[in-house]
Amino acid sequence: MSTARRRTTRMRSFAAAAAVGILLSACSVSDPEAPASDSGEGGGGTFNIAVGIDPDTFDPAGQTTTTVQNMVDYVVETLVTVDEEGTVSGKLAETFEVSEDGLTVTLGLKEGVQFQDGTPFNAEAVKFNLERIKDPNLTVPLGAPFEVIESVTAVDESTVEIKLLRPSPGFLSALSVTTAAMIAPGSVTAEGNTNDNYQNPVGTGPYTFESYTAGESVTVQKYADYWGEEPHYDTVNFRVVPEAATRESLLLAGQVDMIILPPVSDLEALQNNSDVEVILGESDRSIFIALDTLDPLWSNPVARQALNYAVDKQTIVDSVLFGAAEVMNGPMASSLFGYCETGSYDYDPDRARQLLAEAGAEGASIDLLTPSGRYVQDQQAAEAIAGYLREVGLTVNVTTSDFPSFLSRVNAPHSENTVDAHLLGWAPPYLDADFQMQMFRQANHPPAGLGTAFYTNPQVEELLARADVETDRDTREQLYCDASQVIWDEAPWIFLWTQSFPVVHSADVTGIDTTPTEKFDAIYARPAN
């Protein structure tokens, strides 16, 4: 049954502690099918959504960005889901069991499901997909949680046994991530696809991939033989509109039904407009400036601390983001299990100048790269940050690009072309510090992952390695807190804020919500009347 619900403007808080508690329970859990919604039958028409960025890839395994994952999620499905309380439930896997020693995960698959190419969804398909994620020749930016897989066995048509190299408290939750969504095995060589250039996804979801026009739109069509609840709309069209003001204009003119990331300066006016509904979803996305810690100048933690003191984050939140964010006081969002408050870098330009002098970085030049339209007021925030850095004597050059080009530059091996600093956001797809901490591990330096600051510290690596296998909840939480303190002090980022996730939709539609992992939930949108 769809959990989408229409809500007016609201902020939610979630129990982060629940994100881990059930993950290693040696129990079987099922998700009974609910009757189809009346709203799903006899529907039709097109639902139009305006987003800010062009997709970089439609391959589930290649995902880097929640907005693109949202599009891909219309076509593909995962084995399990995780709700806002951190509870794991079955999806394509009806049941799951974890052995007492935490080393074996057994999945009981839903029967009678088929991929959109007509081939059966079965244990062999699951084996193919999980082994594909582990393929060293395939780039899987968010693949770190799956490195723990030792082997995958198709026991029978509907039973899969996964052997792990070590206990992994977050593994079941990781199976809910779009990276681990199921694609038809034969589709990797069909319709122009290849295993490492997979751009026409074939899944088990309620919509089939129809078309993509770069810089313009992505279109999906309702899948007539979908196994689950039928959505209302025949067609969903994602329009690529980088400018927030243009997205807003399209919504107010009735040319689209929903937008994400409207101009935050207009939120109050939108809230007072009876023609639209505003959702201010809580997000676990931290926004930061990743610094090139391998650069001789910025390899010095003192120089990086100086940059943190130079920027008045709260003023930017108030004046540029219009309050749609909270300043970070640790290297992750407070909604994640494992969060603890680690300190603050209060605005102190005099101290920033002093530390820059100590580090030999007075008058240094910084190239700052930012996307435009990906995050709340991203380009505007980058310009404001550059202004503060200039005030402490630095020369700052700001450049921007479309998001696929931005990603191709920052997600590349370190070289002389690596940019000094770039604005980036990171939203763990489940509410656990395990995924946030992938940003601070050497194994996830680009191109293997998105640890784009190229930061590593032996103490952090040791603490995180212990957390990887720790099944005691309190001990694991403390390990993440200890690692956070080291990371905060070494400042591989200019720590900025945790943003809200504004979504605005026409009052003529309902069934739309957001998730705490910064996705919109609109597959079961339908007319309000």
Side-chain angles (χ1 to χ4, degrees), residues 212-240:
Y212 165 54
T213 302
E216 294 185 15
S217 65
V218 177
T219 303
V220 296
Q221 296 284 350
K222 187 190 293 186
Y223 176 39
D225 295 323
Y226 179 53
W227 63 270
E229 179 184 353
E230 179 187 357
H232 176 86
Y233 292 100
D234 286 342
T235 304
V236 177
N237 186 47
F238 302 92
R239 294 182 60 173
V240 179

PDB file of all heavy atoms in Angstrom, residues 212-240:
ATOM      1  N   TYR A 212      14.493   9.887 -22.896  1.00  0.00           N
ATOM      2  CA  TYR A 212      15.296  10.921 -22.241  1.00  0.00           C
ATOM      3  C   TYR A 212      15.843  11.852 -23.304  1.00  0.00           C
ATOM      4  O   TYR A 212      16.445  11.407 -24.283  1.00  0.00           O
ATOM      5  CB  TYR A 212      16.443  10.280 -21.457  1.00  0.00           C
ATOM      6  CG  TYR A 212      17.529  11.240 -21.028  1.00  0.00           C
ATOM      7  CD1 TYR A 212      17.225  12.391 -20.304  1.00  0.00           C
ATOM      8  CD2 TYR A 212      18.878  10.994 -21.336  1.00  0.00           C
ATOM      9  CE1 TYR A 212      18.221  13.275 -19.901  1.00  0.00           C
ATOM     10  CE2 TYR A 212      19.876  11.866 -20.924  1.00  0.00           C
ATOM     11  CZ  TYR A 212      19.546  13.000 -20.220  1.00  0.00           C
ATOM     12  OH  TYR A 212      20.535  13.876 -19.819  1.00  0.00           O
ATOM     13  N   THR A 213      15.612  13.144 -23.113  1.00  0.00           N
ATOM     14  CA  THR A 213      16.200  14.166 -23.964  1.00  0.00           C
ATOM     15  C   THR A 213      17.106  15.019 -23.088  1.00  0.00           C
ATOM     16  O   THR A 213      16.618  15.689 -22.168  1.00  0.00           O
ATOM     17  CB  THR A 213      15.120  15.048 -24.614  1.00  0.00           C
ATOM     18  OG1 THR A 213      14.228  14.224 -25.377  1.00  0.00           O
ATOM     19  CG2 THR A 213      15.755  16.083 -25.528  1.00  0.00           C
ATOM     20  N   ALA A 214      18.406  14.952 -23.338  1.00  0.00           N
ATOM     21  CA  ALA A 214      19.380  15.639 -22.480  1.00  0.00           C
ATOM     22  C   ALA A 214      19.037  17.111 -22.342  1.00  0.00           C
ATOM     23  O   ALA A 214      18.758  17.803 -23.332  1.00  0.00           O
ATOM     24  CB  ALA A 214      20.787  15.471 -23.051  1.00  0.00           C
ATOM     25  N   GLY A 215      19.063  17.587 -21.093  1.00  0.00           N
ATOM     26  CA  GLY A 215      18.792  18.982 -20.823  1.00  0.00           C
ATOM     27  C   GLY A 215      17.333  19.362 -20.878  1.00  0.00           C
ATOM     28  O   GLY A 215      16.985  20.525 -20.627  1.00  0.00           O
ATOM     29  N   GLU A 216      16.451  18.391 -21.171  1.00  0.00           N
ATOM     30  CA  GLU A 216      15.032  18.722 -21.321  1.00  0.00           C
ATOM     31  C   GLU A 216      14.116  17.879 -20.443  1.00  0.00           C
ATOM     32  O   GLU A 216      13.409  18.415 -19.591  1.00  0.00           O
ATOM     33  CB  GLU A 216      14.611  18.584 -22.782  1.00  0.00           C
ATOM     34  CG  GLU A 216      15.271  19.589 -23.714  1.00  0.00           C
ATOM     35  CD  GLU A 216      14.731  19.490 -25.125  1.00  0.00           C
ATOM     36  OE1 GLU A 216      13.669  18.852 -25.333  1.00  0.00           O
ATOM     37  OE2 GLU A 216      15.381  20.030 -26.039  1.00  0.00           O
ATOM     38  N   SER A 217      14.114  16.556 -20.632  1.00  0.00           N
ATOM     39  CA  SER A 217      13.093  15.782 -19.927  1.00  0.00           C
ATOM     40  C   SER A 217      13.431  14.300 -19.874  1.00  0.00           C
ATOM     41  O   SER A 217      14.225  13.779 -20.668  1.00  0.00           O
ATOM     42  CB  SER A 217      11.728  15.953 -20.608  1.00  0.00           C
ATOM     43  OG  SER A 217      11.763  15.405 -21.918  1.00  0.00           O
ATOM     44  N   VAL A 218      12.775  13.632 -18.910  1.00  0.00           N
ATOM     45  CA  VAL A 218      12.769  12.173 -18.775  1.00  0.00           C
ATOM     46  C   VAL A 218      11.311  11.760 -18.679  1.00  0.00           C
ATOM     47  O   VAL A 218      10.536  12.366 -17.929  1.00  0.00           O
ATOM     48  CB  VAL A 218      13.527  11.708 -17.518  1.00  0.00           C
ATOM     49  CG1 VAL A 218      13.443  10.193 -17.367  1.00  0.00           C
ATOM     50  CG2 VAL A 218      14.968  12.174 -17.541  1.00  0.00           C
ATOM     51  N   THR A 219      10.918  10.734 -19.430  1.00  0.00           N
ATOM     52  CA  THR A 219       9.526  10.295 -19.441  1.00  0.00           C
ATOM     53  C   THR A 219       9.429   8.817 -19.115  1.00  0.00           C
ATOM     54  O   THR A 219      10.211   8.005 -19.631  1.00  0.00           O
ATOM     55  CB  THR A 219       8.871  10.559 -20.811  1.00  0.00           C
ATOM     56  OG1 THR A 219       8.977  11.952 -21.112  1.00  0.00           O
ATOM     57  CG2 THR A 219       7.411  10.150 -20.810  1.00  0.00           C
ATOM     58  N   VAL A 220       8.485   8.462 -18.243  1.00  0.00           N
ATOM     59  CA  VAL A 220       8.200   7.064 -17.928  1.00  0.00           C
ATOM     60  C   VAL A 220       6.714   6.802 -18.177  1.00  0.00           C
ATOM     61  O   VAL A 220       5.892   7.704 -18.072  1.00  0.00           O
ATOM     62  CB  VAL A 220       8.586   6.703 -16.471  1.00  0.00           C
ATOM     63  CG1 VAL A 220      10.080   6.837 -16.269  1.00  0.00           C
ATOM     64  CG2 VAL A 220       7.819   7.559 -15.454  1.00  0.00           C
ATOM     65  N   GLN A 221       6.387   5.531 -18.506  1.00  0.00           N
ATOM     66  CA  GLN A 221       5.018   5.130 -18.817  1.00  0.00           C
ATOM     67  C   GLN A 221       4.570   4.030 -17.864  1.00  0.00           C
ATOM     68  O   GLN A 221       5.352   3.175 -17.466  1.00  0.00           O
ATOM     69  CB  GLN A 221       4.926   4.619 -20.268  1.00  0.00           C
ATOM     70  CG  GLN A 221       5.239   5.647 -21.338  1.00  0.00           C
ATOM     71  CD  GLN A 221       4.106   6.627 -21.558  1.00  0.00           C
ATOM     72  OE1 GLN A 221       3.002   6.450 -21.039  1.00  0.00           O
ATOM     73  NE2 GLN A 221       4.364   7.696 -22.324  1.00  0.00           N
ATOM     74  N   LYS A 222       3.284   4.059 -17.526  1.00  0.00           N
ATOM     75  CA  LYS A 222       2.734   3.046 -16.620  1.00  0.00           C
ATOM     76  C   LYS A 222       2.946   1.640 -17.185  1.00  0.00           C
ATOM     77  O   LYS A 222       2.724   1.395 -18.374  1.00  0.00           O
ATOM     78  CB  LYS A 222       1.247   3.294 -16.391  1.00  0.00           C
ATOM     79  CG  LYS A 222       0.618   2.396 -15.319  1.00  0.00           C
ATOM     80  CD  LYS A 222      -0.896   2.490 -15.293  1.00  0.00           C
ATOM     81  CE  LYS A 222      -1.364   3.846 -14.851  1.00  0.00           C
ATOM     82  NZ  LYS A 222      -2.864   3.866 -14.691  1.00  0.00           N
ATOM     83  N   TYR A 223       3.370   0.733 -16.327  1.00  0.00           N
ATOM     84  CA  TYR A 223       3.611  -0.666 -16.709  1.00  0.00           C
ATOM     85  C   TYR A 223       2.335  -1.456 -16.445  1.00  0.00           C
ATOM     86  O   TYR A 223       1.914  -1.633 -15.294  1.00  0.00           O
ATOM     87  CB  TYR A 223       4.780  -1.211 -15.898  1.00  0.00           C
ATOM     88  CG  TYR A 223       5.098  -2.674 -16.098  1.00  0.00           C
ATOM     89  CD1 TYR A 223       5.020  -3.276 -17.357  1.00  0.00           C
ATOM     90  CD2 TYR A 223       5.488  -3.464 -15.019  1.00  0.00           C
ATOM     91  CE1 TYR A 223       5.322  -4.608 -17.533  1.00  0.00           C
ATOM     92  CE2 TYR A 223       5.799  -4.803 -15.184  1.00  0.00           C
ATOM     93  CZ  TYR A 223       5.707  -5.372 -16.438  1.00  0.00           C
ATOM     94  OH  TYR A 223       6.011  -6.707 -16.604  1.00  0.00           O
ATOM     95  N   ALA A 224       1.713  -1.929 -17.504  1.00  0.00           N
ATOM     96  CA  ALA A 224       0.393  -2.566 -17.397  1.00  0.00           C
ATOM     97  C   ALA A 224       0.393  -3.822 -16.540  1.00  0.00           C
ATOM     98  O   ALA A 224      -0.620  -4.146 -15.906  1.00  0.00           O
ATOM     99  CB  ALA A 224      -0.128  -2.887 -18.801  1.00  0.00           C
ATOM    100  N   ASP A 225       1.510  -4.538 -16.507  1.00  0.00           N
ATOM    101  CA  ASP A 225       1.554  -5.815 -15.786  1.00  0.00           C
ATOM    102  C   ASP A 225       2.271  -5.698 -14.449  1.00  0.00           C
ATOM    103  O   ASP A 225       2.811  -6.684 -13.930  1.00  0.00           O
ATOM    104  CB  ASP A 225       2.251  -6.881 -16.654  1.00  0.00           C
ATOM    105  CG  ASP A 225       1.463  -7.199 -17.912  1.00  0.00           C
ATOM    106  OD1 ASP A 225       0.209  -7.210 -17.827  1.00  0.00           O
ATOM    107  OD2 ASP A 225       2.072  -7.430 -18.966  1.00  0.00           O
ATOM    108  N   TYR A 226       2.286  -4.497 -13.869  1.00  0.00           N
ATOM    109  CA  TYR A 226       2.945  -4.314 -12.575  1.00  0.00           C
ATOM    110  C   TYR A 226       2.289  -5.198 -11.515  1.00  0.00           C
ATOM    111  O   TYR A 226       1.064  -5.286 -11.435  1.00  0.00           O
ATOM    112  CB  TYR A 226       2.875  -2.851 -12.165  1.00  0.00           C
ATOM    113  CG  TYR A 226       3.505  -2.566 -10.828  1.00  0.00           C
ATOM    114  CD1 TYR A 226       4.814  -2.973 -10.544  1.00  0.00           C
ATOM    115  CD2 TYR A 226       2.789  -1.914  -9.827  1.00  0.00           C
ATOM    116  CE1 TYR A 226       5.396  -2.711  -9.314  1.00  0.00           C
ATOM    117  CE2 TYR A 226       3.366  -1.640  -8.589  1.00  0.00           C
ATOM    118  CZ  TYR A 226       4.663  -2.053  -8.342  1.00  0.00           C
ATOM    119  OH  TYR A 226       5.230  -1.808  -7.111  1.00  0.00           O
ATOM    120  N   TRP A 227       3.113  -5.807 -10.675  1.00  0.00           N
ATOM    121  CA  TRP A 227       2.633  -6.763  -9.678  1.00  0.00           C
ATOM    122  C   TRP A 227       1.916  -6.110  -8.504  1.00  0.00           C
ATOM    123  O   TRP A 227       1.113  -6.751  -7.815  1.00  0.00           O
ATOM    124  CB  TRP A 227       3.803  -7.584  -9.121  1.00  0.00           C
ATOM    125  CG  TRP A 227       4.842  -6.767  -8.376  1.00  0.00           C
ATOM    126  CD1 TRP A 227       5.949  -6.183  -8.903  1.00  0.00           C
ATOM    127  CD2 TRP A 227       4.829  -6.437  -6.988  1.00  0.00           C
ATOM    128  NE1 TRP A 227       6.646  -5.501  -7.939  1.00  0.00           N
ATOM    129  CE2 TRP A 227       5.983  -5.648  -6.745  1.00  0.00           C
ATOM    130  CE3 TRP A 227       3.976  -6.727  -5.915  1.00  0.00           C
ATOM    131  CZ2 TRP A 227       6.298  -5.146  -5.476  1.00  0.00           C
ATOM    132  CZ3 TRP A 227       4.288  -6.237  -4.650  1.00  0.00           C
ATOM    133  CH2 TRP A 227       5.439  -5.450  -4.445  1.00  0.00           C
ATOM    134  N   GLY A 228       2.189  -4.827  -8.245  1.00  0.00           N
ATOM    135  CA  GLY A 228       1.661  -4.176  -7.054  1.00  0.00           C
ATOM    136  C   GLY A 228       0.532  -3.215  -7.359  1.00  0.00           C
ATOM    137  O   GLY A 228      -0.194  -3.350  -8.353  1.00  0.00           O
ATOM    138  N   GLU A 229       0.371  -2.228  -6.499  1.00  0.00           N
ATOM    139  CA  GLU A 229      -0.700  -1.248  -6.635  1.00  0.00           C
ATOM    140  C   GLU A 229      -0.501  -0.403  -7.881  1.00  0.00           C
ATOM    141  O   GLU A 229       0.587   0.111  -8.140  1.00  0.00           O
ATOM    142  CB  GLU A 229      -0.736  -0.353  -5.391  1.00  0.00           C
ATOM    143  CG  GLU A 229      -1.802   0.714  -5.436  1.00  0.00           C
ATOM    144  CD  GLU A 229      -1.747   1.650  -4.238  1.00  0.00           C
ATOM    145  OE1 GLU A 229      -0.961   1.386  -3.305  1.00  0.00           O
ATOM    146  OE2 GLU A 229      -2.470   2.664  -4.257  1.00  0.00           O
ATOM    147  N   GLU A 230      -1.552  -0.244  -8.651  1.00  0.00           N
ATOM    148  CA  GLU A 230      -1.482   0.530  -9.886  1.00  0.00           C
ATOM    149  C   GLU A 230      -1.483   2.020  -9.578  1.00  0.00           C
ATOM    150  O   GLU A 230      -2.344   2.514  -8.845  1.00  0.00           O
ATOM    151  CB  GLU A 230      -2.676   0.195 -10.779  1.00  0.00           C
ATOM    152  CG  GLU A 230      -2.707   0.961 -12.089  1.00  0.00           C
ATOM    153  CD  GLU A 230      -3.993   0.732 -12.874  1.00  0.00           C
ATOM    154  OE1 GLU A 230      -4.833  -0.070 -12.412  1.00  0.00           O
ATOM    155  OE2 GLU A 230      -4.152   1.377 -13.926  1.00  0.00           O
ATOM    156  N   PRO A 231      -0.536   2.781 -10.129  1.00  0.00           N
ATOM    157  CA  PRO A 231      -0.570   4.236  -9.954  1.00  0.00           C
ATOM    158  C   PRO A 231      -1.668   4.860 -10.803  1.00  0.00           C
ATOM    159  O   PRO A 231      -2.206   4.231 -11.713  1.00  0.00           O
ATOM    160  CB  PRO A 231       0.815   4.679 -10.416  1.00  0.00           C
ATOM    161  CG  PRO A 231       1.243   3.618 -11.377  1.00  0.00           C
ATOM    162  CD  PRO A 231       0.630   2.331 -10.900  1.00  0.00           C
ATOM    163  N   HIS A 232      -1.994   6.101 -10.517  1.00  0.00           N
ATOM    164  CA  HIS A 232      -3.083   6.766 -11.240  1.00  0.00           C
ATOM    165  C   HIS A 232      -2.669   7.209 -12.641  1.00  0.00           C
ATOM    166  O   HIS A 232      -3.379   6.941 -13.619  1.00  0.00           O
ATOM    167  CB  HIS A 232      -3.561   7.986 -10.448  1.00  0.00           C
ATOM    168  CG  HIS A 232      -4.614   8.781 -11.160  1.00  0.00           C
ATOM    169  ND1 HIS A 232      -5.957   8.489 -11.080  1.00  0.00           N
ATOM    170  CD2 HIS A 232      -4.504   9.855 -12.007  1.00  0.00           C
ATOM    171  CE1 HIS A 232      -6.631   9.340 -11.823  1.00  0.00           C
ATOM    172  NE2 HIS A 232      -5.788  10.182 -12.400  1.00  0.00           N
ATOM    173  N   TYR A 233      -1.526   7.876 -12.760  1.00  0.00           N
ATOM    174  CA  TYR A 233      -1.181   8.538 -14.017  1.00  0.00           C
ATOM    175  C   TYR A 233      -0.535   7.571 -15.007  1.00  0.00           C
ATOM    176  O   TYR A 233       0.311   6.750 -14.639  1.00  0.00           O
ATOM    177  CB  TYR A 233      -0.244   9.724 -13.747  1.00  0.00           C
ATOM    178  CG  TYR A 233      -0.936  10.845 -13.008  1.00  0.00           C
ATOM    179  CD1 TYR A 233      -0.767  11.009 -11.640  1.00  0.00           C
ATOM    180  CD2 TYR A 233      -1.790  11.722 -13.685  1.00  0.00           C
ATOM    181  CE1 TYR A 233      -1.416  12.028 -10.955  1.00  0.00           C
ATOM    182  CE2 TYR A 233      -2.451  12.744 -13.006  1.00  0.00           C
ATOM    183  CZ  TYR A 233      -2.260  12.885 -11.639  1.00  0.00           C
ATOM    184  OH  TYR A 233      -2.923  13.886 -10.965  1.00  0.00           O
ATOM    185  N   ASP A 234      -0.937   7.703 -16.277  1.00  0.00           N
ATOM    186  CA  ASP A 234      -0.356   6.868 -17.332  1.00  0.00           C
ATOM    187  C   ASP A 234       1.089   7.249 -17.621  1.00  0.00           C
ATOM    188  O   ASP A 234       1.917   6.392 -17.944  1.00  0.00           O
ATOM    189  CB  ASP A 234      -1.164   7.007 -18.627  1.00  0.00           C
ATOM    190  CG  ASP A 234      -2.503   6.289 -18.566  1.00  0.00           C
ATOM    191  OD1 ASP A 234      -2.672   5.415 -17.678  1.00  0.00           O
ATOM    192  OD2 ASP A 234      -3.386   6.614 -19.383  1.00  0.00           O
ATOM    193  N   THR A 235       1.363   8.547 -17.532  1.00  0.00           N
ATOM    194  CA  THR A 235       2.682   9.059 -17.900  1.00  0.00           C
ATOM    195  C   THR A 235       3.181   9.995 -16.805  1.00  0.00           C
ATOM    196  O   THR A 235       2.404  10.779 -16.253  1.00  0.00           O
ATOM    197  CB  THR A 235       2.613   9.839 -19.229  1.00  0.00           C
ATOM    198  OG1 THR A 235       2.051   8.998 -20.247  1.00  0.00           O
ATOM    199  CG2 THR A 235       3.992  10.320 -19.670  1.00  0.00           C
ATOM    200  N   VAL A 236       4.457   9.909 -16.510  1.00  0.00           N
ATOM    201  CA  VAL A 236       5.102  10.878 -15.629  1.00  0.00           C
ATOM    202  C   VAL A 236       6.255  11.493 -16.411  1.00  0.00           C
ATOM    203  O   VAL A 236       7.090  10.780 -16.976  1.00  0.00           O
ATOM    204  CB  VAL A 236       5.610  10.238 -14.328  1.00  0.00           C
ATOM    205  CG1 VAL A 236       6.339  11.269 -13.468  1.00  0.00           C
ATOM    206  CG2 VAL A 236       4.454   9.627 -13.543  1.00  0.00           C
ATOM    207  N   ASN A 237       6.262  12.815 -16.445  1.00  0.00           N
ATOM    208  CA  ASN A 237       7.279  13.539 -17.199  1.00  0.00           C
ATOM    209  C   ASN A 237       8.088  14.410 -16.247  1.00  0.00           C
ATOM    210  O   ASN A 237       7.539  15.248 -15.538  1.00  0.00           O
ATOM    211  CB  ASN A 237       6.612  14.410 -18.269  1.00  0.00           C
ATOM    212  CG  ASN A 237       7.616  15.081 -19.177  1.00  0.00           C
ATOM    213  OD1 ASN A 237       8.545  14.447 -19.660  1.00  0.00           O
ATOM    214  ND2 ASN A 237       7.441  16.370 -19.408  1.00  0.00           N
ATOM    215  N   PHE A 238       9.401  14.173 -16.205  1.00  0.00           N
ATOM    216  CA  PHE A 238      10.312  14.982 -15.395  1.00  0.00           C
ATOM    217  C   PHE A 238      10.949  16.031 -16.306  1.00  0.00           C
ATOM    218  O   PHE A 238      11.695  15.686 -17.231  1.00  0.00           O
ATOM    219  CB  PHE A 238      11.413  14.120 -14.775  1.00  0.00           C
ATOM    220  CG  PHE A 238      10.903  13.000 -13.907  1.00  0.00           C
ATOM    221  CD1 PHE A 238      10.668  11.734 -14.452  1.00  0.00           C
ATOM    222  CD2 PHE A 238      10.654  13.191 -12.557  1.00  0.00           C
ATOM    223  CE1 PHE A 238      10.208  10.702 -13.663  1.00  0.00           C
ATOM    224  CE2 PHE A 238      10.194  12.165 -11.761  1.00  0.00           C
ATOM    225  CZ  PHE A 238       9.963  10.909 -12.314  1.00  0.00           C
ATOM    226  N   ARG A 239      10.673  17.284 -16.045  1.00  0.00           N
ATOM    227  CA  ARG A 239      11.244  18.362 -16.849  1.00  0.00           C
ATOM    228  C   ARG A 239      12.488  18.893 -16.159  1.00  0.00           C
ATOM    229  O   ARG A 239      12.478  19.176 -14.947  1.00  0.00           O
ATOM    230  CB  ARG A 239      10.225  19.476 -17.050  1.00  0.00           C
ATOM    231  CG  ARG A 239       9.035  19.049 -17.896  1.00  0.00           C
ATOM    232  CD  ARG A 239       8.053  20.176 -18.127  1.00  0.00           C
ATOM    233  NE  ARG A 239       8.651  21.322 -18.813  1.00  0.00           N
ATOM    234  CZ  ARG A 239       7.951  22.372 -19.235  1.00  0.00           C
ATOM    235  NH1 ARG A 239       6.632  22.399 -19.049  1.00  0.00           N
ATOM    236  NH2 ARG A 239       8.548  23.384 -19.835  1.00  0.00           N
ATOM    237  N   VAL A 240      13.559  19.036 -16.898  1.00  0.00           N
ATOM    238  CA  VAL A 240      14.830  19.525 -16.359  1.00  0.00           C
ATOM    239  C   VAL A 240      14.836  21.043 -16.457  1.00  0.00           C
ATOM    240  O   VAL A 240      14.915  21.612 -17.551  1.00  0.00           O
ATOM    241  CB  VAL A 240      16.022  18.924 -17.127  1.00  0.00           C
ATOM    242  CG1 VAL A 240      17.338  19.466 -16.568  1.00  0.00           C
ATOM    243  CG2 VAL A 240      15.990  17.394 -17.046  1.00  0.00           C
TER     244      VAL A 240
END
